[in-house]
């Protein structure tokens, strides 16, 4: 590096506060997500502990609702999204042969908004009347009538929105503008593709969420009547705007996971990804369809029949491109030469368990059936299958996959496998019984339930604690790997393909100071 | 000072982003406290806001310095363009939420309320309306000030383009005059909007509280007005920079970014004029 | 007793029964017993249709699942490096890619057809309803108004507080029991008009197969026709604040005769209640009655009148409960707009209001000694 001596490398705290380096920022994002996973997870454990038995034992109903609301907001905006951005920061420049992200200072800003935003959100727990309790969807008019915690939430959502939009802009600029010569679009690794499309979704829908909560804010404090029938508004209008954001949002939470899995499986099957082109097109179709299905969250609000039919058909269609992805992954494994190191275990479990969540999603899309499922634990089971055994498993798999590259050390394989099995068992014990609870008629968002729901709830709680405490293993593995361990080779995995494996482990400060040659 | 690596430009660590985030936090927390009547709220808002403004000066100042210092190559220029373009797209989506609300209220919510005899007997569901329980008001006509404002904004779009032509031909006088005209038109627009707001509040009974019409009217025009204000400030900045001799015919991203922004504000206004005032 | 058999009932019941026998991944199969692993046993044509549809799509999904993952697991076991598998080189095949796009699409079409049919049937508005009930959701209770019978009342959770707080053993219908159930005649098409008073609620009785949101300021419609007499229980299914989990629904389906009898009894009771409002009550009578009525206030203000700081005001030593009587009556009768404090004047008769106000002014150590008579309440309406 010709001019390396020009670089400033502050150390200590200011390294992390002022950094413009994609790897440092990636690390910050990932550690932040890990921390928040424990905060959001602790809240989930409060929920599960209260639901262990019928009756009110631990928390009062108002606090229970605060836990549900905060748990979801933290898991979505504080865990899964930042974790994906962390991966993007570390990996995108390395995968496309760039030295760094396109807009490094803005990159730092995107990250540093987040700790402040979550401080604001969490501090609402200490506001008079406690935290927000209207559910993560903040439906009007309930959220209009609640205390000042909702204002904390609204403003923190604004901050998270700014952070995500800036992050997404940066990713698009990086992918479109920083590729090494010869790295044309259809040569990009799939993780890059899925992030490119996710970034587009983020820019398209985060501002809409900002608009929705701004209307809430003015309805609350400035006398507008967006969501109040007396003034010609409509509470259901809030739901339409929210879900116009909300449905693309759930694909924001899964597309990068698809990308991660599409990197991992070919590596350990020692066989190129099957159907690369169709993977790209499928991702794009999912993104497109995600804009025209939002009202499947609102089948019970009393839409005209034609509307319900349209949203049902459009939603069902998403099964086709998603199916293509699942089939491609299976075909990649088919007649490969597979080995099952920890990342591969996570990826295979992802394919299997995500599909359970996807299929229950398809059932939810069937309007008449959704009249029975809606707002029950069946829905809770569905989205935890796609989010926890989907997004979270993929994130963990991705972390094991690249941790040796990032730290230069191999992780402890035995501990990794223990972590995997305990996690996967915990997840299924937690969330599988919730399908039955929902079908039997247990509504979601309740702190207490009728006696016939006891047994499955107990299983679910036991599973949740197993799952929660197994995550301590994850922390141990990560800390151990950062601090030392067997030296990792440049090409950590035998079957790995891609530019990041041509760099040293850990990679140099500016990944590709000169553009690599692409075959 | 920043360092160039091979053909790449990579900025050094910078304190501005994290401090700006702190300012944002102050502003947000201050807003929450202020609207809930906590006394420190407005102070916190002021401090946070001031911090953000100060940081913008430093941050953008540094960027301008680096740009004029010739540190930015063509690749950086493209990154900036992509950044600005997608940022404007995000703004479009923000407005889309409010246009969506207007559309939904008009096409669905209000007509349905009109059919709900059981709850709102005798409600006449014709647009514009303040809803079944709202007070009456006079809506804002399209062909007075709003039409004039349309003309003003369209003209300002032309003047900024004319200024751009000047820049491309390296005709600095045309550049500066064009920008001065654009800024003047922007300020005129804002003044007329302000006058119209006063008129609406004092004489028409049209307020933020005037049902869903008042809400969508003021939120859309209000956010638009805010964006015109930001755009005008940005125009002033590039005006000052033009007077100082910044920008070259082949290197003037800041100018183009502001011009794009200004056109965007213009297009949003056309939407407003058609859907809020006219139809 | 006339039980109208649903059209095409053979089809859905046969389908349901047939599919229930299919051995499934779920170890115990599709138990149709109450509160088993599947939806609750249907008692209306709609609920039967939904159960049929649900079983159909679930089986389709299970079959797809099993097929796809038998490939994957075969591969996971057979194509391992440790078993000497050499990686193949292929990475695309237009034929299979077209196939696995087209086949799922066709499967979806076959699922969409019966779904559409059931939905259209549910939205049927052509046949006239024989009874219209307006349902209004309140935080946290339901109001039922029989529009043709000029009859209206509230339905509250009747599970004692002690059971919820684990101080007493929980009853069989813990949290699914109410003081005044909704009584409906069997075999008649009943139309529901749904709305809400404060926030969105949703009225759901699984065995009837109906769920719809009750939205303030709007009316939603749905209908049902119950085949079998019985008691059917459900819950509010949209988060509506603190006691969302405590606003159950109980439907009592009875024969036509019984229904008419019940309507008459109900009406006589209402007349009697109105008469009670005119007499003078003793303080002891008011307090005794007030303590019962106060159960409806416990959710927010607490059994000991302590409220929830910052959310629900305390009554113990509170400014209103120990302040002027008139102010106290006003807030209970007219409510406080924009908060969970409703206008109870619309929900309770004068006697109940007088009783509960007297109770609040003398309980929790408030000991103001005030006595509020029903006539006092009437005067301030
Ligand atoms: C990562 C997040 C994620 C993902 C990927 C999905 C994916 C899908 N979701 Fe889910 N969903 C959520 C997160 C997600 N969802 C959340 C958070 C909620 C609740 C929000 C709230 O209320 O709080 C929710 C709620 C929700 C509802 C509303 C339920 C209700 O409230 O009543 C519906 C209804 O249609 C739905 C449908 C679907 C569908 C059809 C898919 C599809 O994309 C799934 C497609 C995948 C498959 C189908 C499996 C693989 C395919 C094959 C193997 C091919 C062959 C298959 C067939 C031909 C059938 N989801
Ligand atoms: C990505 C998103 C995500 C993730 C990862 C999770 C993870 C989990 N969720 Fe969550 N959940 C949602 C998104 C998510 N959830 C959403 C959107 C809702 C809907 C909210 C609404 O209705 O508004 C919801 C609601 C929800 C409910 C329903 C609540 C209700 O309806 O009232 C339940 C109940 O079981 C639940 C459980 C869990 C559990 C057990 C986990 C587990 O995976 C968590 C794993 C546990 C840990 C990681 C714990 C680690 C902590 C310790 C070991 C203790 C030590 C603590 C410290 C050191 C601080 N979730
Ligand atoms: Cu009423 Cu939930
Ligand atoms: Cu969705």
């Amino acid at each position: 590096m010709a001019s390396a001596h020009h670089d400033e490398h502050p150390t200590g705290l200011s390294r992390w506060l002022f950094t413009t380096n994609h790897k440092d920022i990636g690390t910050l994002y990932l550690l932040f997500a890990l921390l928040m996973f424990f905060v959001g997870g602790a809240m989930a454990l409060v929920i599960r502990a209260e639901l262990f038995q019928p009756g009110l034992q631990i928390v009062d109903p108002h606090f229970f609702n605060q836990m549900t609301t905060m748990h979801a907001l933290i898991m979505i905006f504080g865990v899964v999204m930042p974790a994906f951005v962390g991966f993007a920061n570390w990996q995108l420049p390395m995968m496309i042969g760039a030295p760094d992200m396109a807009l490094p200072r803005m990159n730092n800003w995107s990250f540093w908004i987040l700790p402040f935003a979550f401080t604001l959100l969490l501090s609402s727990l200490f506001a008079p009347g406690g935290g927000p309790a209207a559910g993560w969807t903040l439906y009007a008019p309930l959220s209009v009538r609640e205390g000042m915690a909702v204002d904390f939430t609204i403003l923190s959502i604004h901050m998270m929105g700014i952070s995500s939009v800036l992050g997404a802009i940066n990713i698009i600029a990086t992918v479109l503008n920083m590729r090494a010569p010869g790295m044309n679009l259809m040569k990009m690794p799939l993780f890059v593709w899925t992030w490119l499309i996710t970034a587009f979704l983020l820019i398209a829908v985060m501002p809409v969420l900002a608009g929705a909560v701004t209307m809430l804010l003015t309805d609350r404090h400035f006398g507008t009547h967006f969501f109040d029938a007396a003034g010609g508004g409509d509470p259901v209008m809030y739901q339409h705007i929210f879900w116009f954001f909300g449905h693309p949002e759930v694909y924001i939470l899964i597309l990068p996971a698809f990308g991660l899995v599409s990197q991992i499986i070919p590596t350990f099957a020692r066989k190129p990804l099957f159907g690369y082109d169709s993977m790209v097109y499928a991702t794009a179709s999912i993104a497109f369809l995600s804009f025209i299905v939002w009202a499947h969250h609102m089948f019970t609000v009393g839409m005209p029949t034609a509307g319900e039919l349209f949203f049902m058909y459009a939603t069902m269609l998403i099964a086709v491109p998603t199916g293509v992805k699942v089939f491609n992954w299976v075909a990649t494994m088919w007649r490969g030469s597979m080995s099952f190191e920890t990342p591969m275990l996570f990826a295979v479990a992802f394919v299997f368990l995500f599909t359970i969540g996807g299929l229950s999603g398809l059932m939810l899309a069937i309007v008449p059936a959704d009249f029975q499922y809606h707002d029950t634990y069946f829905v809770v089971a569905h989205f935890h299958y796609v989010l926890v055994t989907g997004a979270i498993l993929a994130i963990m798999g991705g972390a094991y996959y690249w941790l040796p590259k990032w730290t230069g050390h191999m992780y402890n394989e035995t501990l990794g496998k223990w972590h995997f099995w305990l996690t996967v068992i915990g997840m299924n014990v937690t969330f599988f019984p919730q399908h039955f609870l929902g079908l039997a008629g247990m509504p979601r968002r309740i702190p207490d339930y009728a006696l016939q729901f006891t047994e499955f709830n107990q299983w679910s709680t036991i599973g949740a604690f197993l799952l929660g405490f197994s995550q301590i293993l994850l922390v141990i593995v990560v800390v151990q790997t950062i601090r030392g361990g067997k030296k990792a080779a440049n090409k950590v995995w035998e079957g790995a393909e891609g530019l990041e494996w041509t760099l040293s482990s850990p990679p140099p400060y500016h990944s590709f100071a000169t553009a690599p040659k692409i075959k | 000072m920043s360092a160039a690596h091979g053909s790449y430009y990579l900025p050094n660590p910078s304190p501005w982003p994290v401090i700006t985030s702190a300012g944002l936090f102050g502003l947000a927390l201050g807003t929450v406290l202020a609207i809930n009547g906590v006394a420190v709220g407005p102070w916190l808002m002021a401090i946070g806001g001031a911090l953000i403004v100060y940081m913008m000066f430093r941050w953008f100042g540094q960027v301008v310095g680096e740009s004029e210092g010739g540190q930015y190559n063509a690749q950086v220029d493209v990154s900036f363009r992509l950044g600005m373009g997608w940022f404007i797209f995000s703004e479009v989506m923000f407005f889309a939420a409010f246009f969506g609300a207007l559309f939904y209220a008009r096409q669905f919510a209000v007509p349905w309320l009109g059919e709900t005899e059981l709850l709102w007997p005798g409600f006449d569901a014709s647009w514009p309306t303040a809803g079944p329980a709202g007070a009456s008001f006079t809506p804002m006509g399209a062909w007075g000030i709003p039409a004039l404002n349309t003309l003003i904004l369209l003209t300002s779009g032309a003047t900024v383009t004319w200024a751009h032509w000047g820049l491309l031909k390296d005709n600095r006088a045309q550049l500066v005059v064009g920008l001065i005209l654009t800024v003047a038109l922007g300020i005129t627009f804002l003044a007329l909007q302000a006058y119209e707001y006063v008129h609406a509040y004092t004489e028409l009974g049209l307020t933020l509280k005037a049902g869903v019409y008042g809400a969508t009217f003021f939120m859309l025009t209000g956010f638009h007005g805010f964006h015109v204000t930001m755009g005008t400030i940005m125009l002033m900045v590039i005006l000052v920079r033009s007077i100082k001799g910044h920008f070259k015919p082949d290197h003037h991203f800041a100018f183009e970014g502001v011009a794009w922004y200004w056109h965007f504000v213009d297009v949003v206004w056309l939407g407003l004029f058609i859907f809020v005032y006219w139809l | 007793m006339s039980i109208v058999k649903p059209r095409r009932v053979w089809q859905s019941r046969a389908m349901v029964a047939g599919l229930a026998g299919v051995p499934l991944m779920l170890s115990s199969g599709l138990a149709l017993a109450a509160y088993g692993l599947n939806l609750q046993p249907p008692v209306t044509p709609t609920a039967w249709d939904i159960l049929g549809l649900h079983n159909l799509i679930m089986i389709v999904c299970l079959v797809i699942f099993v097929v796809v993952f038998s490939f994957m697991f075969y591969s996971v076991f057979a194509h391992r490096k440790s078993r000497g598998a050499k990686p193949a080189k292929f990475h695309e095949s237009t034929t299979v890619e077209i196939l696995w796009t087209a086949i799922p699409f066709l499967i979806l079409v076959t699922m969409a057809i019966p779904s559409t049919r059931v939905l259209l049937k549910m939205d049927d508005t052509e046949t006239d309803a024989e009874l219209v009930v307006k349902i209004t959701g309140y935080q946290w209770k339901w109001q039922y108004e029989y529009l043709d019978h000029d009859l209206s009342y509230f339905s509250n959770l009747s599970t004692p507080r002690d059971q919820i707080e684990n101080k007493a053993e929980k009853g069989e219908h813990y949290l699914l029991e109410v003081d005044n159930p909704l009584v409906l005649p069997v075999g008649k098409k009943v139309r529901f008009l749904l709305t809400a008073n404060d926030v969105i609620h949703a009225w759901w009785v699984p065995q009837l197969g109906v769920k719809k949101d009750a939205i303030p300021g709007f009316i939603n419609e749905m209908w049902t026709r119950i085949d079998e007499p019985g008691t059917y229980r459900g819950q509010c299914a949209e988060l509506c604040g603190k006691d969302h989990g405590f606003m159950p629904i109980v439907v009592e389906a009875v024969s036509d005769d019984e229904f008419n009898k019940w309507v008459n009894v109900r009406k006589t009771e209402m007349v009697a209640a109105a008469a009670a409002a005119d007499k003078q009550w003793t303080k002891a009578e008011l307090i005794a009655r007030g303590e019962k009525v106060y159960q409806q206030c416990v959710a927010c203000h607490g059994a000991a009148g302590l409220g929830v700081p910052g959310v629900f005001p305390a009554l113990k030593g509170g400014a209103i409960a120990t302040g002027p009587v008139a102010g106290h009556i006003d807030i209970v009768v007219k409510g406080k707009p924009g908060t969970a404090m409703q206008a109870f004047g619309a929900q309770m008769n004068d006697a109940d209001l007088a009783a509960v106000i007297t109770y609040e002014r003398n309980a929790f150590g408030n000991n103001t000694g005030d006595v509020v008579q029903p006539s006092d309440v009437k005067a301030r309406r």
Side-chain angles (χ1 to χ4, degrees), chain A residues 53-57 60-62 65 69 128-130 133-135 137 139-142 144-146 229 233-236 239 269-278 299-305 308-309 312-313 316-320 323-324 326-328 330-331 333-340 348 351-353 355-356 359-360 362-364 366-376 378 432 435-436 438-453 456 494, chain C residues 25-26 35-40 47 50 53-54 57-58 61-62 64-65 68-77 79-82 84-93 96-97 100-102 104-105 107-109 111-112 114-116 118-120 122-123 139 161 163-166 170-176 197-200 202 204-213 215-218 220 235-246 308-312 337-340:
Chain A
Q53 295 173 45
L56 295 177
Q57 286 85 25
D60 70 87
H62 188 62
N65 290 345
T69 308
T137 49
Y139 276 8
L142 184 59
V144 175
R145 292 163 154 254
E146 267 186 13
D234 185 349
V236 174
Q239 301 183 18
R270 294 171 180 76
K271 191 166 149 279
L273 183 68
F274 187 89
Y276 174 90
D277 293 13
S278 65
F299 283 144
T300 61
V301 300
M303 260 183 291
T305 313
E308 300 202 311
L309 286 174
M312 170 167 83
Y313 299 147
M316 292 173 80
L317 268 187
I318 300 190
V320 175
V324 167
V326 172
F327 302 141
N328 279 341
V330 174
M333 293 184 221
W334 192 254
R335 292 185 47 216
S337 169
M338 279 189 274
S339 57
F340 295 90
V348 173
V351 177
F352 184 69
L353 297 172
T355 303
I356 296 184
L359 292 171
S360 64
L362 189 72
M363 295 173 69
L364 291 169
I366 307 291
V367 183
D370 184 64
F371 289 159
Q372 292 287 35
Y373 313 141
H374 176 69
D375 260 323
T376 68
F378 193 79
F432 207 78
H435 290 112
F436 303 127
L439 294 181
M442 178 167 162
R444 58 191 282 208
R445 296 164 163 174
I446 58 173
D448 191 4
Y449 49 81
L451 302 181
Q452 64 269 22
F453 305 130
F456 284 132
E494 186 193 19
Chain C
M25 213 180 72
L26 324 174
Y35 314 129
L37 298 170
N38 211 342
L39 296 176
Q40 294 180 21
I50 294 177
L53 197 57
H54 160 77
I57 55 183
M58 187 163 65
C61 287
L62 283 172
I64 294 174
F65 188 77
V68 173
F69 289 101
S70 40
F71 278 95
M72 189 183 88
F73 279 109
Y74 173 78
S75 180
V76 163
F77 288 109
H79 307 145
R80 293 172 171 253
K81 191 176 180 219
S82 56
K86 290 274 168 298
K89 289 274 178 295
F90 67 88
H91 59 87
E92 59 192 0
S93 156
V96 293
E97 287 178 61
W100 69 39
T101 311
F105 182 78
I107 297 176
L108 291 176
V109 173
M111 284 163 83
S115 311
T116 308
V118 172
L119 183 65
L120 293 178
M122 290 170 88
D123 282 0
Q139 281 174 320
R161 213 63 217 168
Q163 290 189 13
I164 297 173
E165 284 160 9
N166 306 310
K170 297 179 175 39
E172 190 194 350
H173 298 299
Y174 177 69
L175 292 191
L176 295 179
N197 175 61
D198 31 47
V199 301
I200 304 178
W204 177 38
V205 181
Q207 290 185 273
L208 307 192
V210 291
K211 179 188 289 150
K212 201 150 253 180
D213 291 0
I215 298 165
F218 289 82
N220 262 333
Q235 276 174 278
C236 176
E238 179 62 61
L239 179 60
C240 53
K242 181 169 140 302
D243 278 358
H244 161 60
F246 303 90
V308 177
V311 193
F312 304 118
T339 69

Side-chain angles (χ1 to χ4, degrees), chain B residues 145-170:
Chain B
I145 292 179
L148 184 61
N149 263 342
T150 311
L151 208 63
I152 290 174
L153 272 195
L154 288 177
T155 315
S156 75
T159 53
V160 78
T161 307
W162 186 67
H164 192 202
W165 289 345
L167 175 55
L168 290 176
K169 288 181 297 190
D170 215 7

